[in-house]
Amino acid sequence: GPANFTHWIEAIPAGSAISLYLHVPFCRRLCWFCACRTQGTSSDAPVLAYAKVLKTEIALLKRHLPRGVRLSRLHWGGGTPTYMSPDQIRDIFGYIREKFPFAPEAEISIEIDPRTISPDHLPALREAGFNRVSFGLQDVNPEVQTSINRVQTDEQNAFVINESRRLGFDSINVDLIYGLPHQTVDSYERTLEKIIAWDPDRLAVFNYAHVPWLKKHQKLLPVESMPDVSGRLRMLKLIIDRLTEAGYAYIGMDHFAKPGDELTKALRERTLHRNFQGYSTRAEADMFAMGVTSISKLAGAYAQNLKSLAAYEAALNEGRLPTAIGLKLTHDDLLRQHVITEIMCNNRILKRDVEQKFGITFDSYFADVPEKLKEFALDGLVSLQPDRIEVSEAGRLVIRNIAMAFDAYLKPEATQEK
């Protein structure tokens, strides 16, 4: 609740670098595949009200933070952050600058729907101070686009990428999804050809998560037209093959980057990190999430805001932090978090490093892990050695499943590929 979260905020060391995430839940039209917290609206009234309470939440956070805190990362996600007008974006961004100094070389990024931005949006974002942009493309196949209620043209996609390059953004990312209705290996190869020609700096290629019991609008998708597990794996192999042939480095799980990119350098030097937005080159700072349903991640805790927009706005209008629920991490949570992060970022676990950091005997603490990883080891996907556990190149395709062996909260059936 708010009292716990306030205590955690005030316990952060003075002068710390923090990360800030702003969630904007509005979209012009709902995409039927989406599992994010969004709502469709054609009216500007709820957006105006939301922008006002966002500023209230930012001010409340600032009030409780120790002196000298600065921003190392700022990310706007959604929903569609660029549903806000250029003037609204300038206003909120300026308000953040008033409250928080930015660290040198801060990463300032935003997610953009190419279908909905005005000609003034990209220049306004660059002028405000954003240096990284991420465009949701998902797939360029018209049949797939129609089935997911997200039709956007090649001209729209090419324009935003080329215009961002002209305006001098430091990094241009493209989001794609595989596992959607009507996708095949052949159709996805044609999508990749176009994306490669547009030459983004990074790509995030996500495996579609079908969770209609959580997101009812996903029931509108034609399930019978979705590729099965085998088809998805063939697509993933195609994605890795085609993008690496085009010169991109496979960072891991769902990320690719050009050879000179910071992510690629971090992969080589084994200094990758991972947060809610994916892989990162920055050591994980305390991340404070602003907006309805957003989740803050601190060094030893998580806290989530209220999920109801009305309740979120009511709390802030009454001067209360809108925290709904939180979790204080135990020693075991922190240990497993570290080990899973090592697997996902560095594709290995050095047992001695873990023992020294957490004061355990690795083989005794994780005595059940060799049995859980036995089939992966027999298939050559992971190597179980006296001093380490190492994932092979082929094993990187199922890195999530390998990492699940260390997750104390998963039920046994949850480790099976769905």
Side-chain angles (χ1 to χ4, degrees):
N4 305 86
F5 192 35
T6 299
H7 174 73
W8 295 339
I9 296 170
E10 293 174 348
I12 291 172
S16 295
I18 66 168
S19 177
L20 195 65
Y21 170 73
L22 262 69
H23 186 73
V24 181
F26 303 104
C27 294
R28 294 286 178 191
R29 297 179 67 189
L30 287 180
C31 302
W32 292 339
F33 66 84
C34 184
C36 299
R37 168 54 172 91
T38 62
Q39 66 179 65
T41 179
S42 58
S43 168
D44 290 337
V47 184
L48 291 169
Y50 188 76
K52 181 179 178 181
V53 293
L54 261 182
K55 291 166 73 172
T56 303
E57 187 177 10
I58 292 164
L60 277 173
L61 172 64
K62 172 64 174 179
R63 185 184 306 168
H64 291 295
L65 281 169
R67 291 178 178 274
V69 167
R70 64 198 187 283
L71 288 187
S72 63
R73 297 182 79 248
L74 172 63
H75 181 75
W76 291 28
T80 307
T82 47
Y83 191 114
M84 290 185 172
S85 69
D87 284 343
Q88 287 173 323
I89 291 171
R90 288 189 190 98
D91 179 54
I92 293 177
F93 195 97
Y95 191 76
I96 293 170
R97 278 202 182 276
E98 287 177 17
K99 299 295 180 183
F100 301 100
F102 282 80
E105 308 300 323
E107 289 186 1
I108 308 172
S109 55
I110 188 168
E111 298 168 14
I112 299 172
D113 181 345
R115 302 171 301 165
T116 60
I117 61 171
S118 71
D120 297 331
H121 264 103
L122 286 172
L125 293 172
R126 191 73 186 104
E127 173 194 318
F130 287 92
N131 51 34
R132 294 173 180 269
V133 285
S134 181
F135 298 109
L137 271 57
Q138 321 316 340
D139 195 306
V140 302
N141 184 316
E143 184 180 24
V144 175
Q145 292 180 352
T146 300
S147 74
I148 63 175
N149 198 38
R150 187 187 177 102
V151 176
Q152 59 195 78
T153 66
D154 289 351
E155 289 74 20
Q156 288 172 317
N157 296 335
F159 170 76
V160 292
I161 293 172
N162 292 333
E163 181 67 0
S164 298
R165 191 169 289 120
R166 186 188 70 80
L167 290 169
F169 285 93
D170 294 344
S171 181
I172 300 168
N173 178 78
V174 162
D175 285 350
L176 300 175
I177 297 178
Y178 67 99
L180 295 172
H182 304 296
Q183 286 180 332
T184 65
V185 172
D186 288 342
S187 75
Y188 214 82
E189 184 154 23
R190 292 190 290 274
T191 288
L192 291 173
E193 287 175 1
K194 288 186 177 180
I195 301 300
I196 290 167
W198 290 330
D199 197 31
D201 301 297
R202 296 180 182 179
L203 297 100
V205 191
F206 301 107
N207 188 359
Y208 168 64
H210 191 59
V211 288
W213 56 93
L214 294 176
K215 298 295 178 180
K216 293 182 180 179
H217 53 262
Q218 290 189 346
K219 293 179 181 179
L220 297 168
L221 295 173
V223 178
E224 69 281 357
S225 301
M226 294 180 186
D228 59 16
V229 172
S230 175
R232 290 189 189 210
L233 280 173
R234 290 198 302 274
M235 271 189 232
L236 177 57
K237 185 177 186 304
L238 170 76
I239 290 161
I240 294 171
D241 287 348
R242 291 294 175 269
L243 291 179
T244 53
E245 286 169 7
Y248 290 93
Y250 178 38
I251 304 302
M253 293 211 298
D254 38 36
H255 279 50
F256 298 81
K258 287 185 174 180
D261 193 278
E262 291 177 332
L263 281 180
T264 308
K265 181 181 178 182
L267 176 68
R268 288 195 304 267
E269 297 176 355
R270 296 187 185 273
T271 57
L272 271 177
H273 301 275
R274 190 168 174 90
N275 56 35
F276 286 163
Q277 281 86 51
Y279 286 104
S280 169
T281 61
R282 310 294 173 94
E284 181 65 1
D286 290 307
M287 187 191 76
F288 292 95
M290 307 284 100
V292 64
T293 203
S294 59
I295 301 173
S296 297
K297 178 183 180 294
L298 311 186
Y302 294 96
Q304 184 173 25
N305 279 350
L306 291 157
K307 295 183 180 181
S308 159
L309 184 57
Y312 165 80
E313 291 182 349
L316 286 165
N317 287 330
E318 293 168 9
R320 294 183 285 112
L321 285 169
T323 314
I325 193 169
L327 176 69
K328 180 71 173 174
L329 301 185
T330 65
H331 181 270
D332 182 66
D333 291 332
L334 293 167
L335 166 57
R336 292 175 184 274
Q337 181 188 74
H338 172 78
V339 169
I340 289 170
T341 300
E342 282 296 300
I343 282 281
M344 289 184 167
C345 292
N346 297 320
N347 304 302
R348 70 178 185 185
I349 300 167
L350 301 179
K351 295 180 182 180
R352 184 176 176 81
D353 288 354
V354 178
E355 291 173 340
Q356 291 178 342
K357 185 176 180 67
F358 291 96
I360 63 161
T361 301
F362 189 95
D363 289 339
S364 298
Y365 200 95
F366 293 108
D368 60 335
V369 165
E371 180 63 27
K372 292 180 179 179
L373 292 179
K374 182 171 69 174
E375 290 189 26
F376 293 100
L378 290 173
D379 289 337
L381 302 174
V382 66
S383 174
L384 306 178
Q385 300 176 34
D387 67 331
R388 68 184 62 202
I389 296 173
E390 192 129 18
V391 180
S392 69
E393 280 299 309
R396 296 177 72 196
L397 296 176
V398 289
I399 195 78
R400 279 187 178 87
N401 301 72
I402 293 170
M404 285 176 181
F406 297 91
D407 192 331
Y409 293 99
L410 286 178
K411 296 177 181 179
E413 62 268 21
T415 63
Q416 303 302 312
E417 182 84 38
K418 295 290 180 69

PDB file of all heavy atoms in Angstrom, residues 181-193:
ATOM      1  N   PRO A 181      -2.312 -14.654 -36.036  1.00  0.00           N
ATOM      2  CA  PRO A 181      -3.093 -15.352 -37.065  1.00  0.00           C
ATOM      3  C   PRO A 181      -2.567 -15.089 -38.470  1.00  0.00           C
ATOM      4  O   PRO A 181      -2.146 -13.968 -38.790  1.00  0.00           O
ATOM      5  CB  PRO A 181      -4.501 -14.753 -36.888  1.00  0.00           C
ATOM      6  CG  PRO A 181      -4.549 -14.297 -35.476  1.00  0.00           C
ATOM      7  CD  PRO A 181      -3.159 -13.826 -35.152  1.00  0.00           C
ATOM      8  N   HIS A 182      -2.578 -16.125 -39.281  1.00  0.00           N
ATOM      9  CA  HIS A 182      -2.216 -16.095 -40.702  1.00  0.00           C
ATOM     10  C   HIS A 182      -0.717 -15.912 -40.948  1.00  0.00           C
ATOM     11  O   HIS A 182      -0.305 -15.785 -42.106  1.00  0.00           O
ATOM     12  CB  HIS A 182      -3.006 -15.009 -41.452  1.00  0.00           C
ATOM     13  CG  HIS A 182      -4.483 -15.136 -41.322  1.00  0.00           C
ATOM     14  ND1 HIS A 182      -5.182 -16.222 -41.821  1.00  0.00           N
ATOM     15  CD2 HIS A 182      -5.417 -14.338 -40.711  1.00  0.00           C
ATOM     16  CE1 HIS A 182      -6.470 -16.077 -41.549  1.00  0.00           C
ATOM     17  NE2 HIS A 182      -6.641 -14.947 -40.873  1.00  0.00           N
ATOM     18  N   GLN A 183       0.078 -15.904 -39.917  1.00  0.00           N
ATOM     19  CA  GLN A 183       1.523 -15.846 -40.130  1.00  0.00           C
ATOM     20  C   GLN A 183       2.060 -17.234 -40.466  1.00  0.00           C
ATOM     21  O   GLN A 183       1.681 -18.232 -39.834  1.00  0.00           O
ATOM     22  CB  GLN A 183       2.237 -15.311 -38.887  1.00  0.00           C
ATOM     23  CG  GLN A 183       2.076 -13.824 -38.663  1.00  0.00           C
ATOM     24  CD  GLN A 183       2.799 -13.349 -37.412  1.00  0.00           C
ATOM     25  OE1 GLN A 183       2.974 -14.108 -36.456  1.00  0.00           O
ATOM     26  NE2 GLN A 183       3.199 -12.091 -37.392  1.00  0.00           N
ATOM     27  N   THR A 184       2.935 -17.285 -41.444  1.00  0.00           N
ATOM     28  CA  THR A 184       3.649 -18.504 -41.798  1.00  0.00           C
ATOM     29  C   THR A 184       5.134 -18.168 -41.918  1.00  0.00           C
ATOM     30  O   THR A 184       5.506 -16.987 -41.930  1.00  0.00           O
ATOM     31  CB  THR A 184       3.163 -19.077 -43.143  1.00  0.00           C
ATOM     32  OG1 THR A 184       3.502 -18.149 -44.190  1.00  0.00           O
ATOM     33  CG2 THR A 184       1.654 -19.309 -43.142  1.00  0.00           C
ATOM     34  N   VAL A 185       5.950 -19.180 -42.033  1.00  0.00           N
ATOM     35  CA  VAL A 185       7.378 -18.938 -42.212  1.00  0.00           C
ATOM     36  C   VAL A 185       7.607 -18.128 -43.484  1.00  0.00           C
ATOM     37  O   VAL A 185       8.396 -17.176 -43.492  1.00  0.00           O
ATOM     38  CB  VAL A 185       8.150 -20.272 -42.255  1.00  0.00           C
ATOM     39  CG1 VAL A 185       9.607 -20.028 -42.638  1.00  0.00           C
ATOM     40  CG2 VAL A 185       8.074 -20.977 -40.896  1.00  0.00           C
ATOM     41  N   ASP A 186       6.902 -18.468 -44.562  1.00  0.00           N
ATOM     42  CA  ASP A 186       7.088 -17.749 -45.828  1.00  0.00           C
ATOM     43  C   ASP A 186       6.619 -16.300 -45.729  1.00  0.00           C
ATOM     44  O   ASP A 186       7.301 -15.374 -46.208  1.00  0.00           O
ATOM     45  CB  ASP A 186       6.320 -18.452 -46.951  1.00  0.00           C
ATOM     46  CG  ASP A 186       6.970 -19.767 -47.354  1.00  0.00           C
ATOM     47  OD1 ASP A 186       8.165 -19.964 -47.029  1.00  0.00           O
ATOM     48  OD2 ASP A 186       6.281 -20.604 -47.970  1.00  0.00           O
ATOM     49  N   SER A 187       5.451 -16.078 -45.105  1.00  0.00           N
ATOM     50  CA  SER A 187       4.947 -14.697 -45.009  1.00  0.00           C
ATOM     51  C   SER A 187       5.851 -13.867 -44.109  1.00  0.00           C
ATOM     52  O   SER A 187       6.074 -12.679 -44.370  1.00  0.00           O
ATOM     53  CB  SER A 187       3.515 -14.686 -44.465  1.00  0.00           C
ATOM     54  OG  SER A 187       3.463 -14.933 -43.068  1.00  0.00           O
ATOM     55  N   TYR A 188       6.392 -14.497 -43.060  1.00  0.00           N
ATOM     56  CA  TYR A 188       7.235 -13.730 -42.146  1.00  0.00           C
ATOM     57  C   TYR A 188       8.580 -13.395 -42.790  1.00  0.00           C
ATOM     58  O   TYR A 188       9.176 -12.361 -42.477  1.00  0.00           O
ATOM     59  CB  TYR A 188       7.449 -14.494 -40.843  1.00  0.00           C
ATOM     60  CG  TYR A 188       7.545 -13.569 -39.651  1.00  0.00           C
ATOM     61  CD1 TYR A 188       6.402 -13.070 -39.049  1.00  0.00           C
ATOM     62  CD2 TYR A 188       8.777 -13.149 -39.158  1.00  0.00           C
ATOM     63  CE1 TYR A 188       6.473 -12.194 -37.986  1.00  0.00           C
ATOM     64  CE2 TYR A 188       8.860 -12.271 -38.095  1.00  0.00           C
ATOM     65  CZ  TYR A 188       7.713 -11.797 -37.510  1.00  0.00           C
ATOM     66  OH  TYR A 188       7.785 -10.920 -36.465  1.00  0.00           O
ATOM     67  N   GLU A 189       9.024 -14.235 -43.708  1.00  0.00           N
ATOM     68  CA  GLU A 189      10.271 -13.922 -44.422  1.00  0.00           C
ATOM     69  C   GLU A 189      10.102 -12.647 -45.237  1.00  0.00           C
ATOM     70  O   GLU A 189      11.006 -11.799 -45.290  1.00  0.00           O
ATOM     71  CB  GLU A 189      10.684 -15.081 -45.320  1.00  0.00           C
ATOM     72  CG  GLU A 189      12.011 -14.860 -46.003  1.00  0.00           C
ATOM     73  CD  GLU A 189      12.718 -16.151 -46.370  1.00  0.00           C
ATOM     74  OE1 GLU A 189      12.035 -17.177 -46.496  1.00  0.00           O
ATOM     75  OE2 GLU A 189      13.948 -16.122 -46.539  1.00  0.00           O
ATOM     76  N   ARG A 190       8.938 -12.476 -45.829  1.00  0.00           N
ATOM     77  CA  ARG A 190       8.680 -11.263 -46.603  1.00  0.00           C
ATOM     78  C   ARG A 190       8.606 -10.037 -45.687  1.00  0.00           C
ATOM     79  O   ARG A 190       9.074  -8.947 -46.044  1.00  0.00           O
ATOM     80  CB  ARG A 190       7.390 -11.419 -47.415  1.00  0.00           C
ATOM     81  CG  ARG A 190       7.514 -12.455 -48.538  1.00  0.00           C
ATOM     82  CD  ARG A 190       6.323 -12.420 -49.472  1.00  0.00           C
ATOM     83  NE  ARG A 190       5.110 -12.934 -48.839  1.00  0.00           N
ATOM     84  CZ  ARG A 190       4.760 -14.217 -48.796  1.00  0.00           C
ATOM     85  NH1 ARG A 190       5.557 -15.140 -49.348  1.00  0.00           N
ATOM     86  NH2 ARG A 190       3.633 -14.594 -48.228  1.00  0.00           N
ATOM     87  N   THR A 191       8.024 -10.207 -44.499  1.00  0.00           N
ATOM     88  CA  THR A 191       8.007  -9.107 -43.523  1.00  0.00           C
ATOM     89  C   THR A 191       9.424  -8.701 -43.144  1.00  0.00           C
ATOM     90  O   THR A 191       9.770  -7.513 -43.109  1.00  0.00           O
ATOM     91  CB  THR A 191       7.216  -9.520 -42.267  1.00  0.00           C
ATOM     92  OG1 THR A 191       5.818  -9.565 -42.589  1.00  0.00           O
ATOM     93  CG2 THR A 191       7.423  -8.539 -41.124  1.00  0.00           C
ATOM     94  N   LEU A 192      10.264  -9.685 -42.866  1.00  0.00           N
ATOM     95  CA  LEU A 192      11.645  -9.399 -42.458  1.00  0.00           C
ATOM     96  C   LEU A 192      12.416  -8.684 -43.558  1.00  0.00           C
ATOM     97  O   LEU A 192      13.242  -7.805 -43.282  1.00  0.00           O
ATOM     98  CB  LEU A 192      12.357 -10.689 -42.053  1.00  0.00           C
ATOM     99  CG  LEU A 192      11.866 -11.338 -40.754  1.00  0.00           C
ATOM    100  CD1 LEU A 192      12.535 -12.699 -40.567  1.00  0.00           C
ATOM    101  CD2 LEU A 192      12.149 -10.441 -39.550  1.00  0.00           C
ATOM    102  N   GLU A 193      12.165  -9.047 -44.820  1.00  0.00           N
ATOM    103  CA  GLU A 193      12.849  -8.383 -45.937  1.00  0.00           C
ATOM    104  C   GLU A 193      12.572  -6.880 -45.923  1.00  0.00           C
ATOM    105  O   GLU A 193      13.488  -6.065 -46.113  1.00  0.00           O
ATOM    106  CB  GLU A 193      12.387  -8.991 -47.266  1.00  0.00           C
ATOM    107  CG  GLU A 193      12.940 -10.384 -47.542  1.00  0.00           C
ATOM    108  CD  GLU A 193      12.356 -10.982 -48.806  1.00  0.00           C
ATOM    109  OE1 GLU A 193      11.539 -10.296 -49.475  1.00  0.00           O
ATOM    110  OE2 GLU A 193      12.687 -12.143 -49.117  1.00  0.00           O
TER     111      GLU A 193
END
